[in-house]
Amino acid sequence: MIELENVTKVYRMGKVEVPALQGVSLTVQKGEMLAIMGPSGSGKSTMMNVIGCLDVPTSGRYVLEGDEVGRLTDDRLAEIRNRKIGFVFQTYNLLHRLTALGNVELPLLYGSGSNRRQRALEALERVGLGPRANHRPAELSGGEQQRVGIARALVKSPSILLADEPTGNLDSRSSIEIMAILQGLNQEEGLTVVIVTHEADIAEHTRRVVSMRDGQVVNDEPVRKPRQAVSIGEVRERR
Amino acid sequence: MSPLTTLRTALSSLGASKLRSGLTLLGIVIGVAAVISLMAIGRGAQQAITANIEALGTNLLFVRPGSTSQGGVFGGQGSASTLTLDDAYALLDTVYAPSVAAVAPELRATGQVVAGGKNTRTQVVGVTPEYQFVRNVPVASGQFVTWGQVDNISEVAVLGSGVSETLFGFRDPVGQTVRINGRQFTVVGVLKSQGGGVQGLFDDQVLVPITTVSYRLASQRTTQGGVTVQTVNVQVRSGDVIDSAVQEIATVLRLRHRITGDDDFTVSSQQATVETLQQTTNVFVVFLGAIASISLLVGGIGIMNIMLVSVTERTREIGIRKAMGAKRRDILLQFVSEATLLSLGGGGAGVLLGLGLSRLMDGRSLGNQTLHTVFSGDIAVLALVVSAAIGLFFGIYPAFRAARLHPIEALRYE
């Protein structure tokens, strides 16, 4: 489903060339849940951008669901992001003047399809935020904002959910909630989830950890006993 | 992204910063309103001027004796220097001058007009009955000069409304007598008041049979004793044949005066005067519009400024939208439509404000002049189109900058 083959990425900073990825190969099967770990500067963010089709590799091959993505135009990449990839960001990246519902509708604006409102509402209900649909981000807690972010990532039924430090700005309780949702989506619906993190205990919630350093994959192993976060239902019951 | 969604998104973005959008809009509103109201004033003045000229009667040509008639003319002695009544009526020749519909010769003199204890110094115009129609001077009371009176050299007068008022107040002077340069004249009619403008000159004139001026008041005759005229007003059949009418008149007069060299007369057309004036006033209107357009331009720069600020402020939003699958075109369209909405909205409001202003100014007196404004739909449409174009023009660069942003850099922007 995701095949990276000897991918390199070189950034130009003026006259200096900065290699961010130096020959990375990685294969991710459908339905996997993995964490990409590494210290800052290890190239994990670049990896995430390449997988998310926000950027193209300098060399190497990237095949996403059978499509060679590496050499596509900006507009084709935008289309693929719209159809196949759901992003979850560390800082949520919600638009403040839109309601939760409006934010979730956003990906639906850039593609065909009807019943935008209905589909957005369903996505919000999946993350347990149906009743908060008409609240603006400022009226929501950090955890709730991130759940809106997840709903937005889900609304187009993507092939991959890419989460970049999804719990980085959250307290531990909200972090657990978010991980519970991501685990639920992976285990119950078979959604492929890729999480970029530097927190080991977040990585332990996945089933495979890819470690990176200096733009290379240094370690790639399954998590022997994945930690199970409590599901949304349980969170709700506990309240 | 569908056009409707684009529009809705643009509206909601503008609505998010109402004060800023409002102020930007105001720039365009003022610009468009200035263009509209100044053009309305300009058009009003233009219309007033041309209406003034056209009131003289349409399709008019004036034949006057040439000023160079004294020197260098050899053939046709005697009558050559002056136009005669016979010259005037010769222009009615249907073979040589088929384009001429009517002629109205006139001969002027200055006269002291006395009635009762009042007197006034005024122009006495010798005319024939056609004058009434050719120069469009309707009678309010009594009647115009008749052919019988012309033939008999009758001492009758038709008073201009102003003259009548000066001498007789508001009484009807028909049947009364006045003395013109010592001779007794019977008043047979009073002209309708024509108000301001060129036509208003008739209010202060006295019309008498042309022969009376020639034989009794001016004693200006040719050596053969014919009646000379100062101007022959020629009505042409239609505006299309004015040029040929000029040629025909020249031919007839050259034949009659046996001219081989320089003409001893000039033919000038009403149309030429109107056209010259229209050209002049057009320059005036365009000038006013151009001045007002400067404020429109400033408004457009205001839009560009705000859009650039907006793009910078919303860099992150652009990154988010791009990550969600927005293409370059989507972003470009979003910002262009925001700018166009601003300018079109401003344009619409400006048209209304300009319309209101020109209505307000219409008929106001300005010194001793009455301000006259003409609001026309074409200017309104033009202003709308121009303001939309300004939005497009000044919006496209900021929008292009927004569309060109790289999603990763835009997302990282703080």
Side-chain angles (χ1 to χ4, degrees):
Chain A
M1 145 136 215
I2 296 176
E3 282 172 66
L4 294 172
E5 216 180 284
N6 205 23
V7 165
T8 68
K9 180 74 197 177
V10 180
Y11 286 113
R12 271 178 188 282
M13 310 281 255
K15 283 183 180 164
V16 190
E17 292 192 340
V18 181
L21 292 180
Q22 309 188 30
V24 171
S25 297
L26 181 73
T27 306
V28 179
Q29 301 302 327
K30 188 169 167 52
E32 270 196 85
M33 180 162 181
L34 72 146
I36 298 174
M37 286 196 72
S40 55
S42 61
K44 62 182 193 299
S45 292
T46 308
M47 181 88 148
M48 164 102 177
N49 291 337
V50 170
I51 294 175
C53 295
L54 285 168
D55 218 340
V56 288
T58 308
S59 71
R61 249 161 55 93
Y62 171 28
V63 178
L64 173 64
E65 289 192 316
D67 291 333
E68 160 98 53
V69 193
R71 299 283 173 265
L72 293 179
T73 61
D74 284 0
D75 279 355
R76 284 280 297 135
L77 286 176
E79 229 167 78
I80 287 181
R81 288 197 294 272
N82 184 247
R83 286 210 327 267
K84 297 192 174 174
I85 293 164
F87 287 98
V88 176
F89 302 96
Q90 178 176 4
T91 51
Y92 327 131
N93 277 336
L94 302 178
L95 296 187
H96 295 282
R97 57 190 158 77
L98 299 182
T99 60
L101 193 66
N103 270 290
V104 177
E105 269 187 67
L106 206 58
L108 298 173
L109 298 182
Y110 301 106
S112 52
S114 51
N115 331 327
R116 290 203 297 262
R117 189 147 290 255
Q118 184 58 35
R119 287 166 71 187
L121 205 58
E122 278 167 16
L124 273 174
E125 273 158 6
R126 279 166 77 186
V127 298
L129 277 183
R132 300 251 173 178
N134 291 317
H135 286 60
R136 284 168 204 280
E139 299 157 357
L140 300 171
S141 73
E144 286 170 328
Q145 289 188 50
Q146 191 58 297
R147 274 147 70 185
V148 174
I150 294 173
R152 183 178 62 184
L154 288 178
V155 74
K156 290 279 282 194
S157 317
S159 318
I160 317 166
L161 195 139
L162 272 180
D164 185 7
E165 307 273 9
T167 58
N169 281 16
L170 297 176
D171 58 38
S172 51
R173 210 183 108 183
S174 303
S175 300
I176 303 262
E177 275 181 39
I178 296 302
M179 290 317 293
I181 292 171
L182 294 180
Q183 280 185 330
L185 290 168
N186 174 251
Q187 289 159 12
E188 285 154 33
E189 301 177 29
L191 185 66
T192 312
V193 178
V194 177
I195 299 173
V196 171
T197 183
H198 63 273
E199 292 172 69
D201 58 333
I202 293 298
E204 281 170 24
H205 285 83
T206 65
R207 287 183 281 167
R208 174 182 171 192
V209 175
V210 175
S211 300
M212 294 188 67
R213 178 162 300 155
D214 299 330
Q216 280 172 324
V217 174
V218 290
N219 200 6
D220 184 351
E221 58 183 15
V223 176
R224 231 160 279 146
K225 263 186 82 180
R227 256 211 262 172
Q228 187 67 38
V230 282
S231 70
I232 315 169
E234 284 168 284
V235 172
R236 259 196 230 127
E237 275 163 31
R238 237 188 262 170
R239 274 182 184 165
Chain B
M1 210 166 168
S2 74
L4 192 70
T5 322
T6 308
L7 209 67
R8 211 181 290 156
T9 308
L11 269 177
S12 101
S13 305
L14 292 176
S17 45
K18 288 192 185 64
L19 180 65
R20 183 197 287 181
S21 304
L23 288 173
T24 314
L25 208 77
L26 196 61
I28 296 290
V29 170
I30 290 173
V32 170
V35 170
I36 296 260
S37 47
L38 280 182
M39 295 284 269
I41 291 175
R43 287 263 177 111
Q46 190 174 35
Q47 206 180 63
I49 292 169
T50 41
N52 218 327
I53 308 272
E54 273 163 6
L56 291 176
T58 46
N59 307 335
L60 264 189
L61 287 174
F62 306 106
V63 186
R64 295 191 177 90
S67 52
T68 58
S69 55
Q70 300 301 323
V73 179
F74 292 94
Q77 288 125 328
S79 69
S81 61
T82 331
L83 283 173
T84 65
L85 211 50
D86 292 337
D87 285 336
Y89 286 102
L91 297 179
L92 286 176
D93 189 311
T94 49
V95 178
Y96 285 105
S99 307
V100 173
V103 294
E106 65 176 72
L107 177 61
R108 287 164 184 264
T110 315
Q112 189 85 13
V113 186
V114 187
K118 313 235 172 70
N119 79 75
T120 178
R121 205 167 166 77
T122 182
Q123 285 257 306
V124 181
V125 189
V127 299
T128 57
E130 299 101 335
Y131 198 85
Q132 181 180 8
F133 311 106
V134 173
R135 290 301 299 266
N136 189 23
V137 278
V139 168
S141 146
Q143 56 181 6
F144 204 75
V145 173
T146 65
W147 275 118
Q149 290 159 350
V150 173
D151 291 343
N152 296 332
I153 319 176
S154 300
E155 295 180 336
V156 293
V158 177
L159 304 183
S161 61
V163 175
S164 164
E165 207 182 303
T166 309
L167 298 176
F168 296 97
F170 291 100
R171 284 181 294 136
D172 187 358
V174 174
Q176 307 282 322
T177 56
V178 294
R179 297 184 77 82
I180 301 176
N181 292 357
R183 289 179 172 272
Q184 191 143 325
F185 281 71
T186 307
V187 177
V188 291
V190 180
L191 298 179
K192 240 184 209 153
S193 173
Q194 302 261 15
V198 181
Q199 251 339 61
L201 292 177
F202 284 110
D203 291 354
D204 295 318
Q205 292 175 353
V206 174
L207 308 187
V208 301
I210 192 165
T211 46
T212 313
V213 172
S214 183
Y215 295 115
R216 304 277 183 264
L217 297 173
S219 66
Q220 201 178 25
R221 263 155 286 168
T222 64
T223 44
Q224 283 90 2
V227 176
T228 62
V229 299
Q230 285 168 332
T231 306
V232 183
N233 300 277
V234 178
Q235 190 166 44
V236 179
R237 285 196 194 285
S238 82
D240 305 332
V241 294
I242 282 194
D243 290 340
S244 44
V246 171
Q247 287 307 313
E248 290 161 15
I249 291 166
T251 308
V252 171
L253 291 180
R254 281 175 197 143
L255 283 172
R256 286 181 61 81
H257 294 183
R258 292 176 217 120
I259 290 171
T260 51
D262 295 336
D263 286 343
D264 63 349
F265 58 89
T266 58
V267 184
S268 57
S269 84
Q270 185 72 9
Q271 205 58 36
T273 322
V274 171
E275 272 165 20
T276 314
L277 261 167
Q278 235 156 12
Q279 273 168 12
T280 319
T281 49
N282 263 340
V283 171
F284 170 66
V285 171
V286 168
F287 179 67
L288 280 180
I291 289 178
S293 304
I294 292 174
S295 57
L296 201 55
L297 189 74
V298 172
I301 293 171
I303 286 190
M304 181 146 163
N305 193 7
I306 278 308
M307 291 313 293
L308 282 173
V309 170
S310 175
V311 168
T312 308
E313 268 185 6
R314 285 153 67 193
T315 300
R316 219 185 161 87
E317 172 185 335
I318 295 161
I320 295 169
R321 288 182 184 274
K322 286 202 154 185
M324 300 299 133
K327 297 179 181 151
R328 273 170 185 243
R329 185 173 38 114
D330 294 321
I331 302 293
L332 189 81
L333 272 179
Q334 183 187 340
F335 281 89
V336 165
S337 45
E338 278 179 34
T340 311
L341 270 180
L342 273 178
S343 64
L344 253 183
V351 166
L352 291 182
L353 184 65
L355 175 64
L357 279 177
S358 47
R359 282 268 169 80
L360 210 67
M361 286 185 297
D362 198 15
R364 289 289 164 98
S365 51
L366 195 80
N368 57 351
Q369 289 282 328
T370 310
L371 209 55
H372 180 55
T373 62
V374 176
F375 178 84
S376 46
D378 59 335
I379 296 181
V381 170
L382 188 76
L384 276 179
V385 170
V386 166
S387 57
I390 278 179
L392 272 176
F393 181 78
F394 287 105
I396 206 129
Y397 174 67
F400 185 70
R401 270 180 50 157
R404 219 179 35 185
L405 284 171
H406 195 279
I408 296 171
E409 278 152 33
L411 276 171
R412 257 191 230 135
Y413 187 85
E414 291 298 330

